[in-house]
Amino acid sequence: MKIKKAIIPAAGLGTRVLPASKAVPKEMLNIVDKPAIQYIVEEAAAAGIEDILIITNRGKGVIEDHFDHSYELEDKLAKNPSKKKLYEDVLHCSNIANVYFLRQKETKGLGHAIMCAKSFVGNEPFAILYGDDVIINNEYPVTKQLCDVFEATGKGVVGVKEVPRKDVPKYCSLDVTHHEDNPKVMDVHNIIEKPTDDQIMSCYSILGRVVAPPQVFDYLAEDLANTPEGEELYFTDTLTRLGKEGDLLALDFDGIRYDMGNKLGIMKANCEVALNHDEIGEDFKAYIKDLAAKL
């Protein structure tokens, strides 16, 4: 079944990049000349997804404004022939896909944010693109890679990469078995969120992309009923249930991932994207070479 819908949880507070995120949502921090969340929306659209729901919270209305028309700006740019490219870029923001918005009124974790999308998704499989993670692969978008695996198997798919062992406790650890015919695809048997060193089963961690069957909403509802008051609802628990039932695969995706909830990740993204940017790439390379010579 073709994946036509995606959700982007973007309700986090951005505490790791304060004070930059005090008044500007971290999802709106730029990578060169586009906010991070635009890269994510463009990836979903490039995967053939038609409808995208962004889960936000208070203070993030600027995200909605970014994907809306700005008639005064568009009109001014349209009347100036020298601004044609800028006009096209601004117009593109509102035409990438059908983008919808919903507020997570309480911060109760990723699982709760996904639960908020139940009526939007309905009884369909859907993609989840985490709002912190920008993953670049212009030739074969990572979301498309996961969708292709889902459409071939009918099973949920998580996008994973091997991370340094010292970093695994920041993410999660997966117990996996590689497929003989395609070593990039693995069966997932168990997942441990933020494991201690002795709990690490492998250095594969889920990094920002998931394709899920609609049954996850039933699992989330059951898990929510058993979640103590004041505690977060973890989506990892739901994915673990899928894995133990034999309904979850992991894909070692091809792409360069940037953690936009992390100061170093933001700097890496800006530097590396700038080096390949059509407009400033060559000048930026010259600047970096000059800077490196002075260090």
Side-chain angles (χ1 to χ4, degrees), residues 215-250:
Q215 72 205 63
V216 298
F217 290 113
D218 294 332
Y219 295 163
L220 284 168
E222 293 173 13
D223 291 341
L224 182 62
N226 295 317
T227 300
E229 185 68 28
E231 292 190 13
E232 293 187 354
L233 176 61
Y234 292 104
F235 188 49
T236 305
D237 294 340
T238 296
L239 294 174
T240 300
R241 290 181 64 175
L242 280 178
K244 290 183 176 179
E245 292 174 3
D247 290 327
L248 186 66
L249 301 173

Side-chain angles (χ1 to χ4, degrees), residues 143-248:
T143 297
K144 175 62 173 169
Q145 295 175 36
L146 269 66
C147 288
D148 286 348
V149 172
F150 176 87
E151 290 166 17
T153 65
K155 295 184 178 184
V157 189
V158 292
V160 303
K161 297 300 289 183
E162 283 193 283
V163 302
R165 186 179 178 89
K166 65 180 178 61
D167 292 336
V168 173
K170 300 177 186 177
Y171 304 107
C172 64
S173 179
L174 281 69
D175 178 18
V176 296
T177 302
H178 290 266
H179 286 198
E180 290 185 3
D181 58 335
N182 185 352
K184 282 189 168 291
V185 177
M186 297 157 267
D187 290 309
V188 179
H189 309 296
N190 194 15
I191 308 170
I192 297 179
E193 181 79 13
K194 293 181 171 57
T196 60
D197 190 67
D198 63 320
Q199 291 177 317
I200 294 175
M201 300 173 290
S202 77
C203 290
Y204 284 105
S205 292
I206 300 170
L207 296 180
R209 299 294 182 269
V210 177
V211 170
Q215 72 205 63
V216 298
F217 290 113
D218 294 332
Y219 295 163
L220 284 168
E222 293 173 13
D223 291 341
L224 182 62
N226 295 317
T227 300
E229 185 68 28
E231 292 190 13
E232 293 187 354
L233 176 61
Y234 292 104
F235 188 49
T236 305
D237 294 340
T238 296
L239 294 174
T240 300
R241 290 181 64 175
L242 280 178
K244 290 183 176 179
E245 292 174 3
D247 290 327
L248 186 66

Side-chain angles (χ1 to χ4, degrees), residues 80-95:
N80 186 339
S82 68
K83 305 291 186 183
K84 183 174 185 294
K85 176 64 166 59
L86 282 176
Y87 170 67
E88 292 172 348
D89 289 344
V90 169
L91 197 63
H92 169 68
C93 296
S94 54
N95 294 328

Side-chain angles (χ1 to χ4, degrees), residues 65-76 90-91 94:
D65 291 340
H66 181 74
F67 292 103
D68 197 1
H69 281 287
S70 177
Y71 291 104
E72 296 82 0
L73 177 60
E74 291 169 12
D75 181 65
K76 186 171 183 178
V90 169
L91 197 63
S94 54

